[in-house]
Amino acid sequence: MKLLFKLRKAKFTYRKQQKFYEKIILFFPQYEKEPVFIRDANELIKPFGITTSLKYKIGKIIKSRQRRWYKGGFYHAIKEAKNALATFNKAKILQDTIQNIYTQAYSNVIKNADNSPTVITTFDTKVNTHAIIDLTYATAESLAFIEKNLSSIQAWIESQEFKNQYVDSKHPYPPLLNPNNLNYHTISAESAWDLNIPLPSNYEFIVVVTGFSGHSALIRTLRKCNINIALDHYDHSLLYHVNYIALLKNGYNAINLACCSSDSNNLLYKFLYLLPKKTPILYLVRDPIEKLRSTSGFESTQKAYWTIDLQKYDKSLLYGRVCYGINYTLPFKQKIIKIINRGLYDSHKVLTILQQKGFNDIESIDMKEILPKTIFATLQKLSQRFGFSIPYAKEEYEKIYYMSYAGYMFPLLCEFLLHTKVEIYIVLKEYFDNTESFMFPRFTEYCNITNLFNFTMPPFLYPIAIITHKQYLKDLQDNRESLQALNPTLQQLLNDMYQQIQIEESKKTSEKEILQLLQTDIPSRQILKKAIDTEIAYIKDVRPDIVQSWKYYQKFEKICEDSMLL
């Protein structure tokens, strides 16, 4: 009976975490269970520490097996739950083994206040994992790797080099293998993250920025300068993953550090402590009220992906596809709190930690400096500062586009019948061209078929492409007449998508409206001012000219000053 009670509790835990996952995909559509782009369901929410937890696994087993109770579902559920428990226990045994190796090797070196052996602690007790490594969420591959290399791990932990580099400095995330003797090409990014392996050190600078500051446009521009840098925003374990892969390339490399994740601070701190080389930092900032306007839009409650049958197309199928950050129907104070909690004003945390680690060479630029009319002059300055080249003419760099949440209408899966069902995707062209994108890693199996159709592309802010899996290509090429019959529907779909994007964009609150609300809403104003004051303290000190140029922030400051005089 006790077992049945625990299994029932695990099932409810699974349901609760599934609801949390549904909320996650509103903000991070790349984690949506889309069978083409991400096939392994266990990878969907792994970065959030859910699918790898024991309760989640057992709950999932019970929920799936109870539907087939008449086929021995309960018996199979118990068997699978035992296997899940065995894997969990294996991770715990490995973690205890490594911890014991560490404690035995350095019990005379590191002591608590009561003179008892302890583990390495971090600068912040909130981040103290109380273990040299946390294998709770480690992959099966990582566990097998650790088990196979346990003797090497022990020799490394007991070495004087390990003591000098990591123990004496109380490094919170010491690597389980010597990174100086490691061939990075032989260990996966996932296992390297689990083992606290520092990123490859062949990078020249680090880009630091929070969301809604033109980060995507800056990264795309740097990539046009032949700089190997990971694309876009990720939670920090995935950020490690994509940077790890990018840094394995030869050439001029840089680190993408976008502080706009909803994951825990532990992952952010770990990422920062796995940066092995002190380099200059490029710090991108923006008027904090403009940032607030960009993120305070509409929040969809619909799924991020679904299929549209082109032969039964209806415009209503597009409604609710756009996912914005904050529900515009919420009271203003709740929106402010949600926005702040999502890390919109958190780049100061990253800068503080990096400065503590000795990263003191910081070049700050404002978002206005990367707009089309100013981008080339900014690149000329940055190229001299960081030592990279500018291979294209000025006009090429003025073509930058700025991603909006409306961009998450893509990819759109469409299907229609020829001899068999054919699937095509309408995607942002850049993600198709960028085969390294973690969001859509299987595009190497696809081909661009835009030229097989005959339509006029609406003036989207970002280039669009129509792609399909290579298995459909010959049928499509052999049936061009049938494709031509789809042209009017496809044209209508694209036109409707463009119109819907304009509608969704119009739902955003303007800076003027935000300032009007802040003028009367004293609690919201106080909450926001505290967050902004902390966020811009650094830039206010080193680049007061940038702060003075922020039109809406200056108006916000005037509102705050006037309220104090009343």
Side-chain angles (χ1 to χ4, degrees):
M1 291 300 295
K2 187 176 180 181
L3 174 63
L4 288 173
F5 177 77
K6 286 188 174 182
L7 292 177
R8 184 173 181 269
K9 186 177 180 181
K11 183 180 76 172
F12 285 117
T13 300
Y14 169 78
R15 286 179 180 174
K16 183 178 179 181
Q17 291 175 332
Q18 276 293 95
K19 289 181 179 179
F20 174 59
Y21 162 58
E22 289 170 2
K23 293 181 180 178
I24 286 171
I25 61 174
L26 292 178
F27 305 118
F28 300 95
Q30 62 265 41
Y31 300 131
E32 169 70 63
K33 185 164 63 173
E34 215 296 320
V36 173
F37 300 125
I38 306 178
R39 299 181 186 273
D40 185 358
N42 287 329
E43 293 299 314
L44 296 176
I45 38 182
K46 170 190 160 189
F48 299 90
I50 296 176
T51 52
T52 45
S53 73
L54 182 62
K55 282 185 178 180
Y56 184 92
K57 286 182 176 179
I58 293 179
K60 185 177 181 181
I61 290 167
I62 300 303
K63 188 173 185 296
S64 62
R65 287 296 183 179
Q66 73 175 9
R67 296 173 182 173
R68 299 187 179 184
W69 58 270
Y70 54 89
K71 291 187 177 181
F74 182 74
Y75 167 77
H76 290 293
I78 295 293
K79 186 177 179 181
E80 290 176 26
K82 284 182 177 180
N83 290 335
L85 180 61
T87 301
F88 176 82
N89 287 335
K90 179 180 178 180
K92 190 174 184 302
I93 290 169
L94 281 175
Q95 181 165 321
D96 290 344
T97 300
I98 292 170
Q99 183 61 37
N100 287 335
I101 292 171
Y102 170 77
T103 303
Q104 290 171 14
Y106 293 104
S107 60
N108 295 324
V109 179
I110 300 179
K111 298 287 183 180
N112 269 330
D114 60 358
N115 207 37
S116 62
T118 186
V119 298
I120 294 177
T121 58
T122 68
F123 68 94
D124 185 344
T125 55
K126 293 179 181 178
V127 195
N128 188 353
T129 60
H130 298 290
I132 192 173
I133 189 171
D134 184 2
L135 299 180
T136 308
Y137 304 127
T139 63
E141 178 188 6
S142 299
L143 295 176
F145 185 91
I146 291 171
E147 196 170 33
K148 181 180 178 181
N149 293 278
L150 201 54
S151 59
S152 299
I153 291 171
Q154 180 169 359
W156 164 239
I157 291 176
E158 293 175 347
S159 71
Q160 185 65 32
E161 187 179 358
F162 182 86
K163 175 185 178 299
N164 294 341
Q165 289 187 31
Y166 299 100
V167 178
D168 291 347
S169 64
K170 294 187 178 181
H171 194 292
Y173 300 102
L176 290 199
L177 288 172
N178 188 344
N180 296 325
N181 299 332
L182 184 68
N183 183 349
Y184 277 82
H185 292 275
T186 63
I187 181 170
S188 71
E190 293 88 350
S191 293
W193 171 262
D194 290 337
L195 273 67
N196 296 344
I197 303 298
L199 283 167
S201 60
N202 58 322
Y203 56 93
E204 305 304 323
F205 67 96
I206 300 170
V207 176
V208 173
V209 64
T210 52
F212 303 97
S213 299
H215 166 259
S216 293
L218 175 61
I219 295 301
R220 284 160 173 74
T221 302
L222 293 176
R223 288 167 70 91
K224 283 186 177 181
C225 296
N226 296 329
I227 297 174
N228 295 324
I229 184 167
L231 189 66
D232 279 330
H233 314 69
Y234 305 93
D235 74 88
H236 296 101
S237 59
L238 286 179
L239 192 64
Y240 176 94
H241 180 113
V242 294
N243 277 291
Y244 185 98
I245 293 172
L247 295 177
L248 291 180
K249 289 185 175 183
N250 295 322
Y252 191 104
N253 300 323
I255 295 278
N256 170 354
L257 212 175
C259 321
C260 52
S261 172
S262 66
D263 60 20
S264 69
N265 280 338
N266 294 46
L267 298 184
L268 169 59
Y269 295 143
K270 177 173 178 176
F271 181 91
L272 296 177
Y273 273 91
L274 296 185
L275 294 172
K277 186 173 71 171
K278 294 180 180 62
T279 62
I281 291 172
L282 176 59
Y283 183 36
L284 178 64
V285 295
R286 186 186 183 187
D287 185 322
I289 304 301
E290 288 183 358
K291 288 171 66 173
L292 184 61
R293 186 268 306 164
S294 290
T295 193
S296 58
F298 174 77
E299 177 182 65
S300 171
T301 57
Q302 302 294 325
K303 290 184 178 180
Y305 300 100
W306 63 72
T307 304
I308 288 181
D309 186 340
L310 283 182
Q311 288 153 332
K312 299 177 182 178
Y313 169 66
D314 182 87
K315 183 178 180 178
S316 63
L317 293 173
L318 296 176
Y319 299 159
R321 282 188 55 87
V322 181
C323 300
Y324 288 106
I326 303 298
N327 190 333
Y328 74 106
T329 63
L330 287 175
F332 189 61
K333 182 179 176 181
Q334 288 187 35
K335 287 206 291 187
I336 294 291
I337 292 172
K338 287 189 72 172
I339 290 167
I340 291 172
N341 289 341
R342 286 189 58 205
L344 189 68
Y345 303 117
D346 276 359
S347 65
H348 68 278
K349 295 180 181 179
V350 174
L351 280 185
T352 300
I353 298 170
L354 289 175
Q355 286 176 307
Q356 289 173 349
K357 288 172 54 59
F359 291 79
N360 295 313
D361 185 2
I362 304 172
E363 178 75 21
S364 303
I365 61 171
D366 186 58
M367 181 178 165
K368 290 191 293 292
E369 296 179 64
I370 62 167
L371 294 176
K373 62 181 180 181
T374 55
I375 183 63
F376 194 71
T378 302
L379 278 180
Q380 289 177 317
K381 179 180 73 172
L382 295 179
S383 65
Q384 294 178 6
R385 177 76 166 78
F386 295 104
F388 60 82
S389 61
I390 307 176
Y392 302 110
K394 179 181 178 181
E395 294 75 21
E396 182 65 25
Y397 297 98
E398 292 175 344
K399 297 177 183 176
I400 333 172
Y401 60 90
Y402 290 79
M403 186 65 70
S404 71
Y405 266 103
Y408 287 119
M409 290 190 77
F410 309 97
L412 179 64
L413 170 60
C414 304
E415 64 181 24
F416 52 88
L417 284 174
L418 287 178
H419 300 300
T420 58
K421 185 180 74 172
V422 175
E423 294 179 345
I424 63 174
Y425 285 84
I426 303 174
V427 300
L428 300 180
K429 185 175 182 295
E430 182 166 14
Y431 283 122
F432 172 69
D433 293 338
N434 174 37
T435 56
E436 299 162 14
S437 172
F438 192 84
M439 291 175 71
F440 310 120
R442 298 186 180 274
F443 273 179
T444 51
E445 302 170 10
Y446 287 70
C447 50
N448 190 332
I449 58 166
T450 309
N451 61 355
L452 292 183
F453 296 91
N454 182 24
F455 57 83
T456 302
M457 189 69 74
F460 292 111
L461 287 176
Y462 14 75
I464 307 300
I466 299 176
I467 67 171
T468 192
H469 195 280
K470 292 175 182 177
Q471 66 178 332
Y472 300 121
L473 183 58
K474 190 173 188 310
D475 268 352
L476 291 171
Q477 290 173 332
D478 292 344
N479 291 273
R480 286 179 180 258
E481 289 185 5
S482 298
L483 287 185
Q484 295 306 310
L486 288 173
N487 273 325
T489 305
L490 191 58
Q491 182 73 67
Q492 187 61 49
L493 169 60
L494 291 169
N495 291 343
D496 291 343
M497 289 181 78
Y498 179 73
Q499 290 176 9
Q500 191 62 31
I501 287 173
Q502 308 311 305
I503 292 170
E504 301 295 348
E505 290 289 342
S506 70
K507 294 177 182 178
K508 290 183 179 179
T509 308
S510 70
E511 289 90 349
K512 183 178 179 181
E513 291 171 317
I514 288 173
L515 290 172
Q516 287 173 343
L517 287 167
L518 290 170
Q519 196 156 17
T520 55
D521 190 335
I522 297 173
S524 296
R525 187 171 69 234
Q526 291 172 335
I527 293 168
L528 186 63
K529 180 166 175 53
K530 183 179 179 181
I532 290 176
D533 283 350
T534 307
E535 171 70 356
I536 70 170
Y538 171 81
I539 199 69
K540 205 171 187 177
D541 182 45
V542 299
R543 288 290 305 274
D545 58 306
I546 288 180
V547 177
Q548 288 297 321
S549 72
W550 288 340
K551 172 184 174 183
Y552 296 107
Y553 169 73
Q554 294 301 327
K555 290 184 177 181
F556 172 66
E557 277 291 283
K558 185 69 167 56
I559 291 171
C560 295
E561 290 171 5
D562 291 346
S563 68
M564 293 178 67
L565 297 175
L566 296 176

